[in-house]
Each structure stands twice: as structure tokens, then as C-alpha cells.
Amino acid sequence: MGSGRNVAVFGAYGHTGRFVVAELRERGYVPLLLGRDQDRLLALALAQPGLEARQASVDDPASLDRALNGAAAVINCAGPFASTAAPLVEAALRAGIPYVDVAAELEANLDTFAHFAERARAAGAVVVPAMAFFGGLGDLLVTTAMGDWAAADEAHIAYGLSSWHPTAGTLASGVVSGRRRGGRRVRYTGGRLEYHDDALPTLEWHFPAPLGLQSVMGEFTMADVVTVPSHLAVPEVRTYMTAKAAADLSAPDASAPTAVDGRGRSAQTFVVDVRVRSGGTERRVAAAGQDIYAISAPLAVEAVDRILTGRTRTTGVASAGALFDAPDFLRALSSHLSLQVPLDTRG
Ligand SMILES: NC(=O)c1ccc[n+]([C@@H]2O[C@H](COP(=O)([O-])OP(=O)(O)OC[C@H]3O[C@@H](n4cnc5c(N)ncnc54)[C@H](OP(=O)(O)O)[C@@H]3O)[C@@H](O)[C@H]2O)c1
């Protein structure tokens, strides 16, 4: 039996997994270190004395069942999630524990909703895809900006990244997603995903100070186009990325993030600027912080904490904005995120 404080982290020795392990410890949880590579797991366990390492493979359901024994919840940090999400959700359902992942592959996020919504709801289980920087934070911000609106005409989520040094996992997930959409691009318009071959537009975006005016790639479509419409009636959801960060990501010599502080964070800064429009009224909220991988850890761990303490609004497969009190969730992350609260602007 577990203590109720054991939280399994699949992909624990990955870049994001390590941030999640550290955050769980900081919050008084006991991470169980899960992954497929025994040597890498043992190396991590040596660096994290007192934590248990459990080797498990997505091809071996019995190994996943053993690895989840005694866990109160599981956070899946192992991507590409096209391979890992479904086996881990299945294992979490068998174990009767909540499942949270950090998947930014919108095809994998869609699959999680499509394949598990009914079963998770029937079981009273909670499954949260994209509970991270992309997908989760944008959804919390859009939900906060919407406030008392049940519907809006448009939601715009602009990512103001100072740079983007992608991890191997990010690059591999991009390759898998690209393959799954047949090399085509995707946007969310008219209440559905549309696949196309158009060149991405370059636009200007006014971020809050100090970032200010930046060149951004329009239709740089991220997981928010799955999470936001999963619970909000918004037919147009558009995401944007600073052109410099988009170029970093696709550079042939893209290098991995390097730590510049004691928490292991890189020097990368971000602003996520959200605008929602209904008729002639626009509402806006923004959040700023440091390192998109590092911030994913408090997002995922706060989600687990709220699920385990019953601070949820629904069951089944649900995005962050649907499951949690979004403004309250964001306030709880005030030591990691600086927030600019919603303003109404009449056009
Ligand atoms: N939504 C967001 O904002 C957000 C934020 C952070 C990360 N992510 C996503 O999270 C994933 C991991 O990112 P990362 O930065 O941690 O990358 P990383 O440092 O390269 O780590 C990837 C991890 O996934 C594991 N893994 C990959 N395929 C696996 C499989 N089939 N079975 C078991 N383990 C597998 C790797 O284990 P091995 O070393 O054994 O291959 C490694 O532990 C990526 O998909 C990334 O896009 C999303």
C-alpha cells in the first residue's frame, strides 16, 4: 500500500521529468522514479537518495502495473506521447489512480480525449492531457480571461519566448506529430481542426512590457487548440510564436537547454499573452516566467495536488481549464509565474 504521497513519474530521468521529480519533493510528495532504461533510472536514484526506481516499459503492461503499485497518481513525462500516453492511461485506469501528462503533441492529446473520455468518466477517473506549458497554461489563461463568458468569438494565445533550446524529446515529438499530420500544417478555425499547406504568416504582436512589439509566426499551432475547445465554445483558437524562438526550434544545429541557476532552469524567458474577443469586447491576461520546461513541473504537480485533495470540477478526460478553478490555480503558482490580470477593452 502507498502512503498517499507517492507519485509515479514516468520518464523521470528526462529533462522535464527531473524538474517534476524536484517539484514533487519540494511539495512533500515522494516521487517514484519510472522509466524504461534501468541504468539511467539507477543513476537518477543515486543522485536522489531515498527514492525508489522502477523500470517499466510501455510494451509490457505488467511492468507498468508493478511500477504503479502504491502510487497515488502518475505523471507521464516520456514523449513522444504517441507511444507512451495510451499504455500509461490504461495502466492508471487499471490501478484506479489519476493520470496527468505533459504532452504537447496535439495528435496525442486528441487521442487521449477520443479513446479514454467515456471509460474514464464511467470509472470516475481523472485523466489530464497537456498539463504543462503548452496546452495547460494557455488553457488556464484563456479560461481566466473568459471569466463569466460561456462563449467567445476568438481566442489568441501568443508565446513570447526569448529563445528556444529544444530538448531531444521536444524534437522527437515534433517529428512524430509532423508525420502523423502527413507533413501538413494545422489550424483551428470554424470550430474544427483544418489541415493545410499554406505558408505560416509573419505578424507583429504587442506583448506586455517589457517585451513589447515582436515579430511572431501566426498559426504556430500548439496543444491549446485541443485543450481550449475541449470545454469552451470558441470557434477560432490561434496560437503565435516569437519568430526568433520558432527559428531556434527549426535550426539544424538546435542545442539543448543549459542550466543557469540552482534549480536547473535555463536563461529562457517567456510571456504568454492571451486575448479573447466576444463581439466588440476583448479580455486579456498574460503570464511571464522563466524556462518553459521548468514551469511545466509546478503546473503538473499543482494539478496532481488539486486532484488528490478533491479540488476538481469534473471527472473523465479533462483539460486544466475544465478541471480546475483556473484563476485560483494560476494564483497558486505566483512564485513561478507573474500574472497580469484581465482587462476589458471595448473596440
Ligand atoms: N506541453 C509542454 O509544454 C511540454 C513541456 C515539457 C515537455 N514536453 C514534452 O515532454 C516530452 C519529454 O520532454 P523532455 O524535455 O523531458 O525530453 P527528454 O529530456 O529528451 O526526455 C524524454 C524522456 O522520454 C523518455 N521516452 C521517450 N520515449 C519513450 C518510450 N517509448 N518509453 C519510455 N520512455 C520514453 C526518454 O527515455 P529514454 O532516454 O529511455 O529514451 C526520456 O526519459 C516531449 O514530448 C516534450 O515535447 C511538453
Side-chain angles (χ1 to χ4, degrees), residues 77-98:
C77 299
F81 291 86
S83 307
T84 69
L88 261 295
V89 176
E90 292 280 7
L93 290 175
R94 287 194 299 276
I97 60 173

Side-chain angles (χ1 to χ4, degrees), residues 41-200:
L41 271 181
L42 291 178
L44 180 62
L46 273 179
Q48 298 271 349
L51 298 187
E52 198 181 326
R54 300 175 174 182
Q55 194 274 336
S57 160
V58 294
D59 306 320
D60 179 358
S63 73
L64 294 174
D65 292 345
R66 284 193 298 274
L68 294 185
N69 184 34
V74 58
I75 303 176
N76 183 7
C77 299
F81 291 86
S83 307
T84 69
L88 261 295
V89 176
E90 292 280 7
L93 290 175
R94 287 194 299 276
I97 60 173
Y99 167 94
V100 169
D101 76 32
V102 300
E105 292 153 58
L106 64 91
E107 291 78 12
N109 302 139
L110 285 167
D111 282 351
T112 301
F113 277 99
H115 298 158
F116 294 105
E118 272 177 37
R119 279 171 57 201
R121 195 178 311 116
V126 175
V127 171
V128 196
M131 190 60 250
F133 179 76
F134 293 115
L137 179 57
D139 186 30
L140 289 166
L141 290 167
V142 169
T143 307
T144 298
M146 293 274 289
D148 57 352
W149 289 353
D153 299 317
E154 297 169 359
H156 301 268
I157 303 164
Y159 289 104
L161 271 54
S162 60
S163 63
W164 193 347
H165 294 282
T167 61
T170 294
L171 293 173
S173 290
V175 169
V176 169
S177 266
R179 202 180 302 134
R180 293 191 71 185
R181 55 182 82 147
R184 309 196 75 196
R185 298 196 167 101
V186 61
R187 61 186 159 223
Y188 189 84
T189 183
R192 63 185 185 84
L193 286 174
E194 185 179 276
Y195 291 85
H196 66 93
D197 297 310
D198 304 343
L200 298 187

Side-chain angles (χ1 to χ4, degrees), residues 102-318:
V102 300
E105 292 153 58
L106 64 91
E107 291 78 12
N109 302 139
L110 285 167
D111 282 351
T112 301
F113 277 99
H115 298 158
F116 294 105
E118 272 177 37
R119 279 171 57 201
R121 195 178 311 116
V126 175
V127 171
V128 196
M131 190 60 250
F133 179 76
F134 293 115
L137 179 57
D139 186 30
L140 289 166
L141 290 167
V142 169
T143 307
T144 298
M146 293 274 289
D148 57 352
W149 289 353
D153 299 317
E154 297 169 359
H156 301 268
I157 303 164
Y159 289 104
L161 271 54
S162 60
S163 63
W164 193 347
H165 294 282
T167 61
T170 294
L171 293 173
S173 290
V175 169
V176 169
S177 266
R179 202 180 302 134
R180 293 191 71 185
R181 55 182 82 147
R184 309 196 75 196
R185 298 196 167 101
V186 61
R187 61 186 159 223
Y188 189 84
T189 183
R192 63 185 185 84
L193 286 174
E194 185 179 276
Y195 291 85
H196 66 93
D197 297 310
D198 304 343
L200 298 187
T202 303
L203 309 159
E204 306 250 88
W205 187 275
H206 281 274
F207 287 93
L211 195 56
L213 189 66
Q214 295 286 323
S215 175
V216 295
M217 305 293 291
E219 297 178 3
F220 194 95
T221 301
M222 303 307 286
D224 313 282
V225 303
V226 178
T227 53
V228 170
S230 74
H231 67 109
L232 294 171
V234 186
E236 304 292 326
V237 180
R238 306 214 181 111
T239 55
Y240 309 78
M241 176 63 65
T242 34
K244 178 175 179 335
D248 287 348
L249 182 65
S250 55
D253 57 348
S255 59
T258 48
V260 296
D261 68 16
R263 300 179 129 186
R265 295 184 300 181
S266 71
Q268 178 195 50
T269 58
F270 64 80
V271 178
V272 186
D273 188 18
V274 162
R275 298 177 194 187
V276 292
R277 186 183 65 75
S278 177
T281 305
E282 184 180 87
R283 291 178 172 175
R284 189 169 180 184
V285 58
Q290 183 182 342
D291 191 329
I292 64 173
Y293 296 97
I295 190 65
S296 294
L299 284 161
V301 172
E302 178 68 20
V304 164
D305 189 65
R306 285 176 183 246
I307 295 165
L308 294 179
T309 52
R311 290 175 291 153
T312 50
R313 299 183 150 172
T314 186
T315 56
V317 181

Side-chain angles (χ1 to χ4, degrees), residues 5 7 9 12 15-31 33 48 51 75 77 263 265 293-305 329 332-336:
R5 302 296 288 175
V7 175
V9 183
H15 186 71
T16 309
R18 286 169 190 267
F19 282 118
V20 169
V21 167
E23 180 71 17
L24 283 167
R25 292 198 98 164
E26 223 163 273
R27 299 278 305 254
Y29 286 97
V30 182
L33 311 177
Q48 298 271 349
L51 298 187
I75 303 176
C77 299
R263 300 179 129 186
R265 295 184 300 181
Y293 296 97
I295 190 65
S296 294
L299 284 161
V301 172
E302 178 68 20
V304 164
D305 189 65
F329 191 115
L333 295 192
S334 60
S335 60
H336 303 276

